[in-house]
Amino acid sequence: MSILDGQQIKYKMNLATKKIALPSKFIGLKLTEFERLTKEGGTSGTGLISVRKARLIPSYKMADELHLASITLSSMSLIKEFREQIFALIGMKRQGTHHFYTEIAINERGLNDCRFDGLILQVVKGEIRDSVFLEFKGSKADIEPNQIERYLNFIKTNFKGVSKLVTVSSEFVADVTHTPYELPLKATKGFSLSHLSWSHIKTIAHLLLFDNDENIEDTDQIALMKEVLEYYEDDKVGLSSYNTMSSGWANVVKAIKEKTKASKEEIDECVKSWIEEQTDMAHLLSKHLGVMVKTSSAKGETSLSKRLKAEATKLEKTSTLSFELNIKGSFSDINVVADFETSFVTMSVQITPPLTSDKKGKARLKWLLVQLLKCQKIGGEAFAQIQPQLFIETRQKYFSNVLRTNVSQFAEVETQMDLSKDIVQFNVLMQRDLKKKFSSGKGFVMELEQMLFNFYSVVVQNLASWTPPQPKMHQEDVE
């Protein structure tokens, strides 16, 4: 053995025995120092911090959570608009450069029991300025609260300064700030927690490929986004939409109809299914319209237990559950109500008629009738099929009661009203009796989503609400 070889062996032995500690603060660390920690200081000659770069074509098992993590993170690194959309949702800073990793762990005895699926670093001027850890689940797995609590404690101790954790699973939430799990406030203090469903991620991809203002500019990145979306929607991957209500849904329906009391667990299951289904409907409509549709639940309480309690209280008092779909650029939200006693589902939009002095009762009725005839002409057979389920509610000023008529009889409604009273609002409704399908897990979802598609495509998209004219200056002010 040469003298040079001996020196190299001695140097390696010194490296192996030299203790390399975790940095006192992770945010603010130089990227070069982080990279050194991925090569040195661990057990058996490995890096103290173990990571793998996210790959678009990973070697992991198909549809495994790490397979999904690697493809998603790599896609974010390669497709600018996809990355920026997700960053905006999770509060990740966009300046500088970004580095995407999978399988993050610490190779030190007593610290190697946590392995994170994903890590994103934001680097500015060679320094880590922001960071987020990610936990991914495949199609059939749910986020485990105990695991997340353990991860948060681990991050606090070993990656000081990091304050973001994102979970990704098939579980639906109304907004990214809502989580499908509940943790003690002490565990989440100082952390920003976000949750993305696979449906939400697929919807973002769909909208980026839609002909709208948020298109991907680079043609190669468009082709890449299409390929990634094909992967997400492959049956073998299993990231399907929400397709069945829980068993708790059917049990609560039965209890209300039989005037018995369902258990708290059944009610919570029922309400959680309702929240997940409304979110799936919002994503479904988004894909068809090319704009992000949100639900009214997105504005509500972020705590899962408080959301469930609020909905459960409403269900107990009224035997109904409801939500609204907010569509960017639409004249009205779509209100959806499920009545557990009657098995009726009602969808409705509000329309304001021209509120000008030259258009009174008859003129306002005719104004809406013209629009309904337009819906009939455009919809054709589709309109004829749903016509028995379409109703108009006419609301007059100072009257608490509304006059409801089927759309087929709306031309004669003026004979049933006192037209000296101002008409101030119309509600256009579609109402269906789902009968036995109301309590069917898959049947309810299929009927509800088909009903939404019919109501929007045949009626809502062909209606318009009146908007007041732009205020004008007095002539003398102009002169």
Side-chain angles (χ1 to χ4, degrees), residues 330-331 334 347-351 368 370-380 382-392 407 427-431 451-465:
S330 178
F331 64 87
I334 298 176
M347 298 184 181
S348 63
V349 290
Q350 292 183 359
I351 297 182
L368 181 60
V370 169
Q371 293 200 58
L372 295 173
L373 292 172
K374 176 186 172 185
C375 293
Q376 185 178 31
K377 183 179 180 180
I378 294 172
F383 184 91
Q385 286 180 357
I386 66 171
Q387 183 172 295
Q389 303 158 17
L390 295 177
F391 299 88
I392 308 297
V407 71
N427 293 335
V428 181
L429 305 90
M430 182 175 180
Q431 189 172 69
M451 183 177 173
L452 174 64
F453 181 80
N454 291 341
F455 184 52
Y456 193 92
S457 63
V458 178
V459 181
V460 178
Q461 70 179 6
N462 298 313
L463 294 174
S465 195

Side-chain angles (χ1 to χ4, degrees), residues 38 69 80 88 92 121 144 149 164 166 248 298 310 315 350 353 355 362 421 464:
T38 65
K80 174 178 172 283
M92 186 70 179
L121 302 179
E144 300 169 16
E149 185 173 0
K164 296 183 180 71
V166 176
L315 179 60
Q350 292 183 359
L355 302 178
K362 277 190 180 181
K421 307 296 183 185

Side-chain angles (χ1 to χ4, degrees), residues 277-412:
E277 170 54 15
Q278 63 183 265
T279 307
D280 187 45
M281 289 172 70
H283 293 167
L284 179 71
L285 201 53
S286 298
K287 293 172 188 176
H288 284 289
L289 300 180
V291 296
M292 187 62 78
V293 178
K294 296 183 178 180
T295 79
S296 53
S297 295
K299 304 171 188 175
E301 177 61 58
T302 59
S303 164
L304 178 62
S305 60
K306 289 181 180 178
R307 293 203 312 274
L308 295 179
K309 185 178 180 181
E311 293 284 4
T313 300
K314 180 181 178 182
L315 179 60
E316 186 178 2
K317 288 181 177 179
T318 66
S319 296
T320 65
L321 287 172
S322 63
F323 67 90
E324 292 179 343
L325 291 170
N326 178 259
I327 305 163
K328 184 180 178 182
S330 178
F331 64 87
S332 170
D333 291 346
I334 298 176
N335 181 256
V336 182
V337 181
D339 191 317
F340 284 65
E341 286 185 346
T342 64
S343 298
F344 274 61
V345 171
T346 305
M347 298 184 181
S348 63
V349 290
Q350 292 183 359
I351 297 182
T352 302
L355 302 178
T356 52
S357 57
D358 60 326
K359 286 189 182 292
K360 290 294 186 179
K362 277 190 180 181
R364 292 176 188 180
L365 291 172
K366 186 177 179 182
W367 174 84
L368 181 60
L369 181 61
V370 169
Q371 293 200 58
L372 295 173
L373 292 172
K374 176 186 172 185
C375 293
Q376 185 178 31
K377 183 179 180 180
I378 294 172
E381 182 60 31
F383 184 91
Q385 286 180 357
I386 66 171
Q387 183 172 295
Q389 303 158 17
L390 295 177
F391 299 88
I392 308 297
E393 288 183 347
T394 306
R395 187 178 297 277
Q396 292 179 284
K397 197 172 184 180
Y398 305 126
F399 274 64
S400 58
N401 295 331
V402 296
L403 177 64
R404 178 185 283 202
T405 52
N406 184 269
V407 71
S408 62
Q409 300 167 331
F410 187 69
E412 290 81 42

Side-chain angles (χ1 to χ4, degrees), residues 154-173:
F154 192 84
I155 293 169
K156 283 179 188 175
T157 304
N158 301 294
F159 293 94
K160 293 176 182 176
V162 178
S163 61
K164 296 183 180 71
L165 177 70
V166 176
T167 51
V168 182
S169 74
S170 291
E171 296 161 284
F172 289 78
V173 292

Side-chain angles (χ1 to χ4, degrees), residues 248-264 266-267 270 312 315-317 319 340-341:
W249 175 270
N251 293 337
V252 171
V253 174
K254 183 181 179 184
I256 289 176
K257 287 185 180 296
E258 295 179 353
K259 301 194 182 305
T260 59
K261 192 169 179 64
S263 69
K264 182 184 182 302
E266 289 171 332
I267 293 172
C270 170
L315 179 60
E316 186 178 2
K317 288 181 177 179
S319 296
F340 284 65
E341 286 185 346

Side-chain angles (χ1 to χ4, degrees), residues 122 156 444:
Q122 180 223 17
K156 283 179 188 175
F444 181 81

